Amino acid sequence: MIPATFEYVRAASVEEAVRALASAGEDAKVLAGGQSLMPLLRLRLAYPDALVDLDRVAELREIREDGDHLVIGSMATHHQVMRDPLVRRHAPLIAQATATVADPAVRHRGTFGGSLAHADPAGDLPAVALALDAVFLVRSRRGEREIPAADFFVDWMTTAMEPDEIMTGVRVPRLGEGWGFHYEKFHRTAQAWAIVGVACAVRRERGAIEDVRVALTNMGPTPVRATAVERFAGGRSVSDDMFRAASERAAEGTGAPTDLHGSGEYREHLAKVLTARALRAAAAT
């Protein structure tokens, strides 16, 4: 199909993009890598009055250290993120999960911020951002504000961003020594969305779990923190029995969907199996 007619603005700076978005009104869309938006335009599932393209805004591709945090520009491509030495050193969970996104062609074009702003519950990166307590940096003509990951994902493909706001970057804590990370994902084909995924960060000390963070992909309309797993595993000695017992609590408080790819009960089973694997792998790192 052919997309509906729209006004096209190719911004050269964040300020220009913000002005264009504010002028276009609520029926405008931001174009980042386009890997999610372009299919929607072709099928006329999205028909904005205006499209603001960020491809030429070079400052949004920067990845840099900021004190105890790492800031990843929203327009950094998946390929750039997964290979960046700062990301691999200070946020290896992001590098691991990004390497599982779609295929090389998509990873070379798709963007870190675009995937997060799309907020598909089957996407890999939203759960990772939630597990790492990331903070989203967004800007409008009113200025810049910060949105914690716990507040950013509101509903299915819906975020806390206002229509006139652009995501400029994501601030991720540098967790430091003693942490292990793992992203475990189950999908039917290499390019497919996750049926269920588990993002896990574990800090060990003297054979026990001192801190643990677990977030689930595609177990509800938004990414979900597996708080029951975190409460159970925290402070306990590392063992296969503990991992299995903790993972039995993975589906508590979730709303696993039923669709063509599997029932809610199937996803609950997968969440338990994958959580045990993710905990074991993260604790062994």
Side-chain angles (χ1 to χ4, degrees):
M1 294 180 64
I2 300 174
T5 301
F6 55 82
E7 180 184 357
Y8 176 75
V9 178
R10 194 168 193 182
S13 67
V14 173
E15 289 73 21
E16 183 181 344
V18 164
R19 287 197 303 269
L21 196 61
S23 299
E26 294 189 1
D27 291 326
K29 288 284 187 182
V30 173
L31 178 63
Q35 300 304 291
S36 299
L37 180 58
M38 295 306 292
L40 297 179
L41 293 176
R42 285 197 300 269
L43 294 172
R44 297 206 178 191
L45 296 175
Y47 33 90
D49 291 337
L51 204 60
V52 180
D53 188 350
L54 302 181
D55 186 61
R56 287 185 177 175
V57 186
E59 63 189 282
L60 296 183
R61 299 191 186 277
E62 183 182 7
I63 299 175
R64 58 183 172 82
E65 294 179 272
D66 182 19
D68 293 332
H69 294 78
L70 191 66
V71 177
I72 303 175
S74 59
M75 286 295 290
T77 65
H78 298 311
H79 180 78
Q80 178 185 351
V81 168
M82 63 185 276
R83 291 178 175 270
D84 186 87
L86 290 176
V87 175
R88 294 168 72 91
R89 179 189 303 174
H90 299 300
L93 182 59
I94 292 177
Q96 287 181 24
T98 303
T100 74
V101 172
D103 54 35
V106 170
R107 292 195 292 270
H108 274 80
R109 186 63 189 166
T111 63
F112 186 69
S115 178
L116 290 164
H118 188 56
D120 193 315
D124 301 294
L125 299 181
V128 173
L130 187 61
L132 294 178
D133 291 328
V135 174
F136 294 85
L137 311 177
V138 302
R139 191 183 301 178
S140 69
R141 298 193 72 176
R142 299 181 301 280
E144 187 172 78
R145 68 183 180 114
E146 301 182 353
I147 310 174
D151 301 324
F152 185 78
F153 304 101
V154 176
D155 204 341
W156 187 80
M157 298 180 74
T158 304
T159 74
M161 292 176 61
E162 298 294 336
D164 64 340
E165 288 180 321
I166 289 173
M167 185 193 303
T168 59
V170 182
R171 181 179 291 122
V172 183
R174 292 171 18 179
L175 295 182
E177 299 296 327
W179 283 89
F181 306 92
H182 189 72
Y183 184 69
E184 188 75 24
K185 172 181 178 178
F186 182 82
H187 51 166
R188 297 188 185 279
T189 63
Q191 294 88 358
W193 297 94
I195 295 178
V196 173
V198 180
C200 183
V202 170
R203 182 168 65 88
R204 288 182 58 175
E205 188 172 331
R206 295 187 296 274
I209 303 295
E210 289 298 311
D211 197 355
V212 57
R213 303 175 184 182
V214 180
L216 307 176
T217 296
N218 213 6
M219 285 293 288
T222 66
V224 182
R225 278 289 281 264
T227 55
V229 174
E230 297 173 347
R231 287 194 300 268
F232 182 87
R236 294 182 185 268
S237 298
V238 173
S239 70
D240 283 341
D241 287 342
M242 188 277 286
F243 294 143
R244 283 193 293 268
S247 66
E248 285 298 313
R249 295 159 170 79
E252 291 184 15
T254 65
T258 294
D259 57 25
L260 294 175
H261 302 293
S263 66
E265 291 78 8
Y266 177 57
R267 282 190 166 86
E268 290 179 1
H269 169 72
L270 282 176
K272 296 174 184 178
V273 172
L274 299 181
T275 296
R277 293 179 185 175
L279 286 169
R280 188 178 298 109
T285 304

